[in-house]
Every structure is written in structure tokens, then in C-alpha cells.
Amino acid sequence: MSVTKQTLKQQLSEQRQTAIAAYLHDPRPERLLKTLCRNVDAALLQAWKEIGIPPGNALVGVGGYGRGELFPYSDVDVLILLPRSPDGALQEKLELFIQTIWNLGLQIGHSVRTIEECLHASANDITIQTSLLEARLITGSRDLFRQLLKRYDIAMNAQSFFLAKILETRQRHQKLGDTPFSLEPNCKESPGGLRDLQVILWVAKAAGLGNSWEELARRGLITRTEAEQLRKTERTLKSIRIRLHIQTQRAEDRLLFDIQIPVAQAFHFKKAKKPLDARHASEYLMQHYYLAARIVRQLNIILLQNLEARLFPQTHEPEPINERFNKVSDFIDIVKDDTFTRHPSAMLEVFLLLAQRSDLKNMTARSLRALWHARPHIDKKFSRDPVNHALFLQILQSPRFSSRALQHMNEMGILGRYLPNFGKIIGQMQHDLFHQYTVDQHILIVIANLHRFTLTEYAHEYPFCSQLMANFSRPWLLYVAALFHDIAKGRGGDHSVLGMADARQFCQQHDLPEEDTELIVFLVEHHLTMSHVAQKRDLSDPEVVREFADLIKNERRLTALYLLTVADIRGTSPQIWNAWKSKLLEDLYHMTLRVLGGEILSVDHELAHRQAEALASLRLYGLPEHAHETLWKHLDIGYFIRHDASDIAWQTRMLYYRTDTIEPVVKCRLSPIGEGLQVTVYTRDEPDLFLRICGYFSRRNFSILDAKIHTTNHGYALDTFLVTEQTFSRNYRDIINLVEHNLTEVLQSDVPLPEPEKGRLSRKSRTFPITPNVDLRPDASGERFILSIVANDRNGLLYAIAQVLRRSHINLHTAKIMTLGERVEDVFLVSGDYLKQSKNQIQLETDLIDILSV
């Protein structure tokens, strides 16, 4: 038997490779899937016979394998159907059969059940109920199999099945971001993927309405044209999934970044050669996928509505809305089939009505279908029509505006036709380490974030943003700015500058007042500026704030830019936004507002203000009136300017009675910004102190978000770090105690520091490597240098940078650590005699490039 199994395993492997080779020569997905299925059928049949399973039992394929389709490395799901519970002899044979199948190299999903057990499991599990819907006899008792089908059909409740599949689909979509346009979609499970097509056919089959697109067309659920669209789209998605399996040699259904390029090459997509088209081959592949997913998503909505109407028939008299639309049940319906072609403006009017009326859920399937087919009527003439301009603005201005309206317009192909430049970025990839969505999807998420600030039920999420938005007149102007802020990406130039021209043209075409036009154009041009200033510039420098205020000019611009910046960062990726970025932006907003209000920022004013605020806080703790002087006499102006009053008060309480301590002091607390841990280190200054601290955090897998490095006038280091760690929120008390104890031990130790580990780059970083960049230039005073570093993030990177600085005897004063996904953009303020010579500056940049390139 072992020889037979080995031979059979080799035979299956050879058959798979032969079938794949045939597919690569003539890529017809249906033929490959059926061939692979037949090969497995034959192997299972042979094993079933050789083991001698008694004839009264049956081997049944279920799920995709039951459907007769097997992707190159997919699981093989089988049901061993028994007339009764197995005795000892049969149980032994069944175990041998399953073991044999595993030994053949097949990924088996199996169950052993009687008919009663099948029906019971099906009634309690929608997944099992669905898999049995596609049951197919492979070998064994035909009578037993027919009994299963008969009783399954009797037990099937098509209405309950429909509702369960709709709920399951919604949950699946939400789990996968509820969009087809994620940058690494799952071509099987994501919205618009193969699973959505299968849901339609499962529901139709359960209701006895058909088992193929042709049958659904014959029954009037879809048109012949739609049936052909579905066939072509299904073939596209199957081809992509096949290529993924072939490329990875496993059951991989995700279009991961590192797989997209070879899969694109397999489809013969090539990098663009046009001067203004910088797209990669993989971007063409992904736009090909997104187009297919969008078609699936739209036809899925139409078909499921039609199926629901068949399963839950209701009679509702149409209620006239106007001469073009009726209300039918809770849906808006066209009066005539040719409404959209006879009245093209109705293609925008329908979205306006949905935005204005809370009693309308959506469009009927008939309206959706008519709208889908009428899209070509949105041409240049349509886009220049003042009536349509007014309708589009009314959608944005509606008191009941929902960002879902624009999302729906995009899914229906309306938005990209009305705004042709928006159409160019639909499905456009963003090859970086922090964006999670395509350009068009990111834009729509930013608009959704802005709209969220207007809703009282979400005010607890971002109370400051909600407060500002509540007092901001005409908030729809921010939606327009968001619509254009990234619209020029992929054109080969500065997308902010190119987007300004598009935004100005839109405003002029739609007759917006000059004041509103200038605000929108300003926001598009500077949508990255506030983030850059807050995260990369020294906000303790009054000159930085004054320069920013000179650019902003007035409070309305400041508020608009702040709201757009927060919405933009949040819309990039859920992992990018954090409380530290929030604090930096809010601090910049408040300081700029003070300057715009006429206040003159100065170091002396800030010093007095922060000291007074810190003293007021200290009095609440009952400290002696002059207790703070023992520490403050050793601190210079730079310390007070770079620390918040709450930090000054906290550190004073810890240190006023031990300013000359011999032992290191390490104290931690929950960060006042609501995220992460604030760590203060006070000890005699040493050349390798910062290096030791970074080494400790690196070994503990802490991420450093910010570092303030200060040396007192009597030779003590007073350093403050803001750090985060993955499990911190669950175990913060234990982590605080651990850091205070262990870091103190590290600082007391004389053990030589280890060499930095060559941290492994993540999958994304390997796919999109960043060319490291190091920039060293004098600051405004000419006494210190600003060191800027851009590189791929990896564990231990800051420790490696610190070691290079230590070797060159460079003093570190501040460190602003900014992580964008897996890209770091760090800025350090440094000084040292070593930097006084130009050749040493060049050597430092070279040394840093070397460690960043590892």
C-alpha cells in the first residue's frame, strides 16, 4: 500500500504540474479548475476502493470542490456520508482513508456524518448549510446521496438562508475594510471578490431560481449583457487567483505587495513608458482587478435586490416624488426605464434625493441597473451643464449629506465621469509604506472623516475637531478641498501644485465665490504643510510658529487646515494616527491662533508662562514654597521652553529633594496625552547615556515616539522619552514597574554595550525599500545642526543611529521620532566639535547611510 500511496502522490503532483503548464500555454481558468478536480476525484476514488470502504457509504465533495472547481493549492473538502454510526472495523478503515489522503499531499477538510447529523449541523451552521448546497457524489452509494439531497431540499428555507448569507456577507465585508479598494485585497473574500459572486449563485440555487448566470438571465433576474459581464469578470478574478496560487505555490488569495509584480508580469503588464505616467506594471494589474471588483460589487447589489424581491414579494403602490422618481417601499425608483437617458441630470438628482430624504434607503434594482447603463451619457457637455453643477453642490451642501453618497457615486462610476480627473485616480495604487487604500478610496475616507466631525454621536472620538467643525461655516468647502487634495497623484509632478489647478477650475466652473475658491485652493496646496511643521520642526522655537502663522494669515484658514490635516492622516491608515501626532497638531494650532490673535510669542513670555503654570500645579501637591528652586537653579531656558508645564511640575516633584543623587532616577507614568508611557531619566551625564537608554528600549521592543535630551548646569542628564509597546494598554502597571527597575539596572551597569542587531525588514519594507536619506545642516543660530534621517523602519534602528553619534562624540539635544507606517522620518538637534569640519560632516552622513542601508 505504501508504494501505491507514493506512486499516487507523485502522479497527482505530476498531473497538477501538467495541468498548470497547459494553463500557462492556453490560460482558460475553467479548464484548469475542472482538470485539477478530476485528477483529485480519480485519486480519491482509487484510495476509497483500495482501502475497501463498504458499498453502503458515500464519498461526497462539498464546497468549491463539490462545485467541480479546484484551484491549484486549495483545500479539498469532503464529506464521508454514512447510513449509520460506524462500527469499530469501519472506523478503522475511515481513519486509514483520511490518513491516506493526507499522505497524498492534499489539504483535506473532512467530516464523517450520517444524514441526520448532516441536517442537524446544517441547521445550526450556515457554513455547513452552504457547503452541502454544492454537494457532489464522488463515489459510493448513490441512493444514500440522493436521500441526503432530498431531505436537505425539504429542510432548506430559502428566505432564512438569504437573510443568513446577507448577514454573513456584511460581517465579512466589515472585517475586510468594507471596500474593494484596499491595496492588498483578498481576491476571494474581499468586497467585490469571488465570494460575492458565489453568494449570488448560492442564494439563487437555494431558492430554485438557477445555478448559473445564464439561468438567472432566462428568469429575468439579470439581463443578457449583465450575464456576459459577470462571466467575464468571474473569469478575470479566477485567473488572478490561479496566478496567485501558481506564483506562491500555496493557497494564497491575497494580492500582497511582494506578489503583485510577478503576477502582473505573468499577465504581461509592463511599466508605463510615457513621460507623465509613472505607473508600475503592478499598478496596471491592480486597476484591472479593481475594475472587476467594482463590477462585481455593483451587480451584486442589483442581483441581491432582485432575489430579495422574489423571496419576499411585497406590493407597494408607487408614491410620486416628482415626474422622474417614485418612492416604492423604502426605495427610490425611476418612473420610466429610460428616465436617466431622457433626463441625464437625473443621474445626479437621484443622489441628491437620497441625501435629502431620510425615508429613502437606496435605489431599487431597476434604478441601479438603469443608472449603471446610462453612465456613458455623462460626457463633457454633461459636466459643463450649470444645472448639473448646482445639483452636485447641493449634494455636498445637503444638511443630511453623507459621505456614503460620494462613495456610492464612485461605485456606480458616476463620480469619475462627472470629474474626469478623479476618474484617472480610481483604483490607483500608492506604493509607499503607510497608505492602506487606493487614491480614490483614501480621498473618500478623508471626506468621511471630515463629515464625522459634524456628527454629535461621534463627538467623543475627536472632541476638539467636533468643536471646531460645529463653529465652521460652510463645512462642505472642506469636502471639496479633500476631493482635490490628492487628485493629481500619479501625474509625475507635485500633486499639491497640480491639484491646485484642478481645484481652481472646479470652483470657477461651479461659480464659487472668490473667498471660498481661495480657501479651497490654499488647502489643496498646503494640505501637507501643517503635518510637516508639527512633526518635523521645533515648536518650542517662536520663529517657527510665526513663520507658519504668516503663511496661514487668518483663523478660518487655520481651522480648515487643521481639520483637513487630521482627517487626512486618519484616512491614510489606522496605524498612522496616534495621540502624539494629535498633541503636536493641537499644540501648533493653539500657538498659531495666539499669534494670529496679536500675541507676540517670545522666549521670555513662554518661560514666565510655563513656570507660573508649573508652580500653580506644584502648590496643589503641598510642596514647600521654594522647594522647586533646588532643581530649577540647574535648568536653563531651553528646558522650560521644550517641556510642558505638567512635565515640569511632575519632574520637579520627583527630583527637588535629590538633585545631587548618586544613583540614577528612572520614573514612569502614563503619558498625559492618553497614549504610551512617559519615562524620565535623571543621572550623572555620560557620553554613552542616550545609547544605553536606546539599547534598552530596543531590546524590550519599545517604540520611541519622542525624546527630549537636556543636560543641567551641574552635569546631570534630565532626559524624557515617550514610548509605546504593543501590550502596554493591557499590562501598563507591570510594565511601569519593570521599566523603572530594569532601566535603572542598565544605567548602573558597566557591561559593554552590544553591537546593534541587524533588524529584519518587514515584508512591506522589502517590497518597497526606501533609499536612505541623511541631511545635516546648521540651525538658525549656527551653533547646532539639524540632522534629518529618512529610512525603512526596523527594530533597533534608533539604537544603531545613537551608536554612530556616540562614536563621533556628538551631543544630542532633541529627537523628534516620526514613524509613518514602516517609514521613519527622524529629526535630531545635535552639536559637537566633530561637526565643525566639513569633512567630518560628510563622514557622519556616510556612516549613517551605511547603517541605514543594512
Side-chain angles (χ1 to χ4, degrees), residues 239-279:
S239 297
I240 291 173
R241 190 180 180 204
I242 288 169
R243 295 285 182 174
L244 282 169
H245 281 217
I246 293 173
Q247 178 64 36
T248 61
Q249 296 187 20
R250 64 177 186 269
E252 179 59 80
D253 299 324
R254 297 167 299 166
L255 275 159
L256 302 174
F257 287 130
D258 49 336
I259 305 173
Q260 289 172 12
I261 293 175
V263 171
Q265 292 169 343
F267 279 104
H268 305 294
F269 289 113
K270 296 181 180 179
K271 184 175 181 178
K273 295 182 180 180
K274 296 179 183 179
L276 296 180
D277 191 344
R279 285 179 292 176

Side-chain angles (χ1 to χ4, degrees), residues 164-180:
K165 295 311 291 185
I166 293 298
L167 176 60
E168 183 186 63
T169 299
R170 286 175 184 161
Q171 292 172 340
R172 171 170 53 85
H173 285 182
Q174 289 173 357
K175 183 179 178 181
L176 292 165
D178 203 24
T179 174

